[in-house]
Amino acid sequence: MTPLLLDHPLAADALAVLRRSGTAPPAFRAALGRIALLLAAEATRGLATRTKRITTPLEEAEVPVLGSKLPCLVPVLRAGLALLDGFQTLLPDAPVAHFGAWRDHETLKPVEYYFKAPADLGERGAIVLDPMLATGGTAIAAVSRLRAGGAGDVTVAAVLAAPEGVAALAAAHPEARVLAAALDRGLDHRGYIVPGLGDAGDRAFATS
Ligand code: URA
């Protein structure tokens, strides 16, 4: 699986803000929000449309409007919450499922503690919001949950992806799409993405 990368100067500039170690939490969240908007636009590029007849101030016109159920947004708690506003700005009517998993810093494996999804998940696609696709463990767990709940097309939207995480996700869920602002070099011995941006949750929510 080759991740789809945002190729946009605004994404590159926001990413530089995120990577800089001196960036304070408000500026960090704002930069995440800008990238979330760009990720949301790209992740929804293939949404189906239908034709609707409307009346403009000048005449009747046939125009395309969104044609099917919107994908469910699935922020991975807690860092994924920092991407949610941007996605909801472009998809205000999309339902939101929450997936909670923390990463055990010794095993680097996800430990699930929360999942709540809309009843009609089986009639929708889903977009997993996980800023850091590192080992891929949490994203794999989230996609497994969503697929078990009947979700159709699943996209994992990340800010940074590591090749290790992309490969692990592709092995577990070859049908899932990965969209990221950038593909970094790899993981360090603690499972952090390098060059990376550090702990996205801690930096967004000022808990470091
Ligand atoms: N999660 C983070 O927040 N940062 C990383 O580099 C890897 C996982």
Side-chain angles (χ1 to χ4, degrees):
M1 173 204 302
T2 313
L4 178 62
L5 300 180
L6 287 182
D7 181 17
H8 199 293
L10 295 180
D13 196 69
L15 203 45
V17 174
L18 295 175
R19 289 192 192 278
R20 212 164 36 231
S21 62
T23 300
F28 190 87
R29 288 194 300 274
L32 274 181
R34 293 197 292 280
I35 290 184
L37 285 170
L38 296 165
L39 288 171
E42 194 56 48
T44 53
R45 187 179 286 283
L47 282 186
T49 58
R50 66 184 167 84
T51 301
K52 187 176 179 182
R53 192 161 186 85
I54 60 160
T55 310
T56 80
L58 301 179
E59 61 181 25
E60 298 255 302
E62 304 258 338
V63 296
V65 294
L66 288 174
S68 54
K69 284 198 169 187
L70 292 174
C72 180
L73 304 177
V74 192
V76 171
L77 304 176
R78 83 198 139 123
L81 291 175
L83 297 176
L84 185 58
D85 264 8
F87 273 79
Q88 285 187 304
T89 297
L90 293 196
L91 297 162
D93 295 319
V96 179
H98 291 87
F99 179 80
W102 51 273
R103 196 164 64 134
D104 185 309
H105 282 282
E106 279 179 10
T107 65
L108 303 183
K109 297 259 186 273
V111 181
E112 182 183 325
Y113 62 85
Y114 191 77
F115 181 64
K116 174 80 177 172
D120 66 353
L121 179 65
E123 297 160 33
R124 301 173 181 274
I127 306 175
V128 176
L129 314 183
D130 188 0
M132 309 297 278
L133 181 58
T135 61
T138 309
I140 290 168
V143 175
S144 299
R145 270 283 184 205
L146 292 163
R147 299 291 288 167
D153 291 345
V154 178
T155 298
V156 175
V159 174
L160 292 182
E164 295 91 327
V166 173
L169 183 62
H173 294 290
E175 77 291 349
R177 263 194 336 155
V178 175
L179 170 64
L183 181 67
D184 269 11
R185 193 171 72 243
L187 301 178
D188 73 4
H189 66 285
R190 299 171 306 162
Y192 278 85
I193 296 177
V194 284
L197 52 78
D199 188 305
D202 279 347
R203 294 195 63 196
F205 300 121
T207 49
S208 55

